[in-house]
Amino acid sequence: MRTDASGWVTRYTDDEIRRYKRAGAWKDVTLADCARRQAERAPDRTAVVEGERSSSFGAIFAEAQYLAGAFGVMGLRPGDVISYQLPNWTETMVINIAACLTGVVVNPIVPIYRESEVRYILADCRSRMLFVPERFRNFDYPAMAARLRPQLPALRDVIVVRGTAEACRRYSDVLAYGQGEPPAERWVDPDAVKLVLYTSGTTGNPKGVLHSHNTIMAEIDAVIAFWGIHERDVVLMPSPVTHITGYLYALEIAFAAGVKVVFMERWNVTEAVDLIARQGVSFSVGATPFLKELIAEVEARKLKLPSLRRFMSGGAPVPPEVIHRANQVLPDCMAFRVYGSTEAPTVTLGIRGRDEAQLGATTDGRIVNHEVRLCDPQTGIPVGPGQEGEICTRGPEMMLGYTDPQQTRESFDADGYFHTGDLGYYVNGDYLCVSGRKKDLIIRGGENLSPKEIEDVLHRHPDIQEVAIVAMPHERLGEGVCACVIAREGRKIDVPTLAAWLELAGLARQKFPERVELMQDLPRTASGKVQKNVLRDTVAAKIAAERKADA
């Protein structure tokens, strides 16, 4: 364990650090090194497109140097934390590089968070500076910051990007502070904390995840090598850059690989298809709803999108039929599933070629840059071949720990494996199939049932748009199976309908839902994951009310 310049305790020992460096997994290369190299090699090449605006590698790096100079003038030191709650704007790239130039830690906050979440995050990471938009989606961020500031003694400055607000600094004025300063050339420890990103969590307060320059670059290097990313690639980024997906595959990979990034402020499928065609987008990363809508739009407009070579989908369960359909509709594109988390960004990286298309749909892909161990969810003992177990992993892109050392101790075992809370099993040796969450298992009469197995079959039903399977209270068996269903317009879904479909698929009767809850939408976290804990609580409350009424 080490104490970082930021004051946080990190979990890697000096021996582990030396081991990863000897193996070449940690190369002591920072984002600032990459940004400088791109600015020197191709200063005029486009780095980012945002609406009608585009910026070159040279321009972004020059602006980042000004901002880095301003950080020094404003008293920021290595280990200090700055936060930004911004949309997918070019300024996020500048802030990220400027922090890296000076050893300052960045803390992205998703724009949908409001006072409760923002207060907790800023207090927990002791943020010194907060960048916000004047308004975004009709919300007044400076007003929220003004309400929070009296409760946040560490927060010295609130900076408004693309606007002005009372008692806040303007981004353009802050840049001006650094324009008279020499470019920052401070040595930055590649093993120091670079990023604190809070999980969206399904229960309790979010957890602050700590990453170093080396852990993040290890992930980016693995992605570039496995997917064959090169500077001719163009990435469409609809996911927030304040989430691990957008952060990695926009803010980081743009400079590590020299690719052009096309930003979307918010997802709009018509706009996305137009951008792919106009900008020659070659790959994108997005959650399941993005891919579903993209397929429908391409089919409706009878397009092919020949530039699009890869679409990686993860963050939430991806039904196999969605991947199969994407590969049919987009003949030049490989769609596939990937698996990772904020703590361990990509445990699997999908597939490399069309010959693996079936595995890309039915598994979460090949394990890359990680050592994975499957363990019994109750005992922690490794399970035998072919058995399902909790996914436990370690590797060079693993986080340094949480901001709360106790949470770190609870999440890692004695061998350094991180216990993800996800369940899975191996396919073909080095492919991983995620089968559900340990907390989501339904224990019916002592038998463990996997919700994902049931969901995968029901997602093929023509009348179902989306379904989530959760446990519900059962007087005799302890837990039963409940299906929370979004039906397609004008269609009817009930218990007999689901039973007939599951019977055709050959599932055991104990897996058949005994209750259906028809819903307009499903509750989700900021990253798009269905909040099954909320569904379980809602269903349990309904059942309790029904029993009380019948008593």
Side-chain angles (χ1 to χ4, degrees), residues 29-37 39-40 57-72 76-79 82 93-106 175 178 182-189 193-194 213 247 252 255:
V29 173
T30 71
L31 178 70
D33 298 330
C34 296
R36 182 182 290 106
R37 184 177 69 245
E40 291 171 350
F57 284 105
I60 288 176
F61 187 66
E63 192 169 315
Q65 287 182 305
Y66 292 147
L67 187 57
F71 286 168
L76 291 177
R77 297 291 179 264
I82 61 169
M93 286 184 161
V94 176
I95 294 166
N96 197 44
I97 295 169
C100 192
L101 281 165
T102 54
V104 169
V105 179
V106 291
L175 280 182
E185 294 291 342
R186 177 179 291 156
W187 178 81
V188 173
D189 180 4
V193 174
K194 154 198 175 68
H213 303 266
Y247 182 85
E252 294 282 319
F255 301 94

Side-chain angles (χ1 to χ4, degrees), residues 55-119:
S55 299
S56 68
F57 284 105
I60 288 176
F61 187 66
E63 192 169 315
Q65 287 182 305
Y66 292 147
L67 187 57
F71 286 168
V73 172
M74 297 169 76
L76 291 177
R77 297 291 179 264
D80 286 344
V81 179
I82 61 169
S83 303
Y84 58 87
Q85 191 177 21
L86 294 169
N88 287 9
W89 288 355
T90 303
E91 289 87 351
T92 58
M93 286 184 161
V94 176
I95 294 166
N96 197 44
I97 295 169
C100 192
L101 281 165
T102 54
V104 169
V105 179
V106 291
N107 164 230
I109 303 174
V110 290
I112 64 170
Y113 280 175
R114 296 298 181 254
E115 288 182 43
S116 176
E117 299 99 336
V118 174
R119 180 192 302 110

Side-chain angles (χ1 to χ4, degrees), residues 515 517-518 537-547:
R515 183 184 180 99
E517 290 289 339
L518 295 175
D537 291 346
T538 301
V539 172
K542 283 189 175 184
I543 291 173
E546 290 166 4
R547 288 174 178 171

Side-chain angles (χ1 to χ4, degrees), residues 135-464:
R135 294 190 77 84
F136 180 63
R137 296 190 179 183
N138 297 317
F139 185 74
D140 189 333
Y141 289 85
M144 177 178 67
R147 293 190 295 271
L148 293 177
R149 286 183 82 167
Q151 307 165 58
L152 299 166
L155 185 63
R156 294 189 181 183
D157 292 288
V158 177
I159 298 166
V160 177
V161 179
R162 303 188 186 182
T164 60
E166 187 177 350
C168 299
R169 298 181 189 269
R170 290 192 305 173
Y171 177 77
S172 56
D173 292 340
V174 172
L175 280 182
Y177 298 156
Q179 289 181 2
E181 296 296 310
E185 294 291 342
R186 177 179 291 156
W187 178 81
V188 173
D189 180 4
D191 297 316
V193 174
K194 154 198 175 68
L195 170 72
V196 52
L197 191 57
Y198 284 77
T199 63
S200 50
T202 53
T203 58
N205 287 319
K207 294 178 179 178
V209 176
L210 305 173
H211 275 287
S212 72
H213 303 266
N214 271 326
T215 61
I216 291 294
M217 198 56 71
E219 198 278 342
I220 292 293
D221 286 344
V223 164
I224 291 171
F226 187 81
W227 290 339
I229 303 298
H230 49 70
E231 62 184 24
R232 295 186 301 280
D233 276 311
V234 180
V235 57
L236 176 70
M237 186 44 64
S239 298
V241 296
T242 46
H243 179 265
I244 189 65
T245 300
Y247 182 85
L248 290 172
Y249 305 126
L251 303 193
E252 294 282 319
I253 206 168
F255 301 94
V259 303
K260 180 170 75 176
V261 173
V262 179
F263 274 150
M264 294 187 72
E265 230 178 54
R266 66 186 78 187
W267 173 255
N268 176 288
V269 67
T270 302
E271 180 187 346
V273 169
D274 291 343
L275 284 170
I276 292 169
R278 187 167 64 248
Q279 295 292 339
V281 168
S282 57
F283 78 97
S284 189
V285 186
T288 312
F290 294 175
L291 182 56
K292 284 182 175 179
E293 291 182 18
L294 182 69
I295 297 165
E297 182 75 6
V298 169
E299 282 191 292
R301 291 166 61 176
K302 296 180 171 58
L303 300 174
K304 294 297 181 185
L305 300 182
S307 69
L308 190 62
R309 296 188 297 116
R310 291 183 178 85
F311 194 106
M312 293 69 76
S313 194
V318 188
E321 62 274 12
V322 172
I323 300 295
H324 286 310
R325 189 66 189 147
N327 288 329
Q328 291 169 359
V329 172
L330 297 165
D332 298 300
C333 179
M334 287 189 303
F336 49 84
R337 291 153 49 176
V338 294
Y339 165 69
S341 63
T342 307
E343 294 91 339
T346 46
V347 178
T348 67
L349 286 175
I351 60 174
R352 274 200 172 116
R354 279 269 177 180
D355 58 323
E356 299 174 313
Q358 179 66 18
L359 288 166
T362 57
T363 78
D364 292 271
R366 190 188 297 271
I367 298 166
V368 179
N369 218 29
H370 279 263
E371 301 173 69
V372 172
R373 176 185 287 175
L374 301 182
C375 298
D376 183 281
Q378 308 303 322
T379 66
I381 297 171
V383 300
Q387 290 184 284
E388 179 186 67
E390 181 180 6
I391 300 168
C392 306
T393 185
R394 65 183 182 186
E397 63 187 63
M398 179 58 65
M399 67 169 177
L400 306 184
Y402 293 112
T403 54
D404 181 348
Q406 181 60 31
Q407 291 175 340
T408 305
R409 287 190 287 270
E410 291 170 354
S411 300
F412 287 86
D413 62 27
D415 294 327
Y417 282 88
F418 173 66
H419 288 241
T420 66
D422 293 316
L423 300 173
Y425 54 90
Y426 295 120
V427 176
N428 285 16
D430 57 352
Y431 287 81
L432 187 65
C433 188
V434 180
S435 51
R437 289 285 295 169
K438 185 166 70 170
K439 292 179 181 178
D440 292 338
L441 276 178
I442 300 170
I443 306 175
R444 183 182 186 276
E447 183 177 1
N448 291 347
L449 305 182
S450 167
K452 187 175 183 298
E453 180 189 14
I454 305 167
E455 290 165 354
D456 280 350
V457 174
L458 292 180
H459 272 127
R460 298 198 292 268
H461 195 290
D463 296 344
I464 292 176

Side-chain angles (χ1 to χ4, degrees), residues 455-503:
E455 290 165 354
D456 280 350
V457 174
L458 292 180
H459 272 127
R460 298 198 292 268
H461 195 290
D463 296 344
I464 292 176
Q465 181 176 317
E466 191 169 4
V467 60
I469 298 295
V470 297
M472 68 176 189
H474 193 291
E475 287 185 335
R476 184 172 66 85
L477 300 172
E479 289 183 343
V481 180
C482 177
C484 299
V485 177
I486 302 175
R488 297 196 186 278
E489 190 173 354
R491 308 299 174 86
K492 179 186 175 183
I493 297 292
D494 54 21
V495 169
T497 301
L498 299 188
W501 187 261
L502 293 170
E503 188 165 21

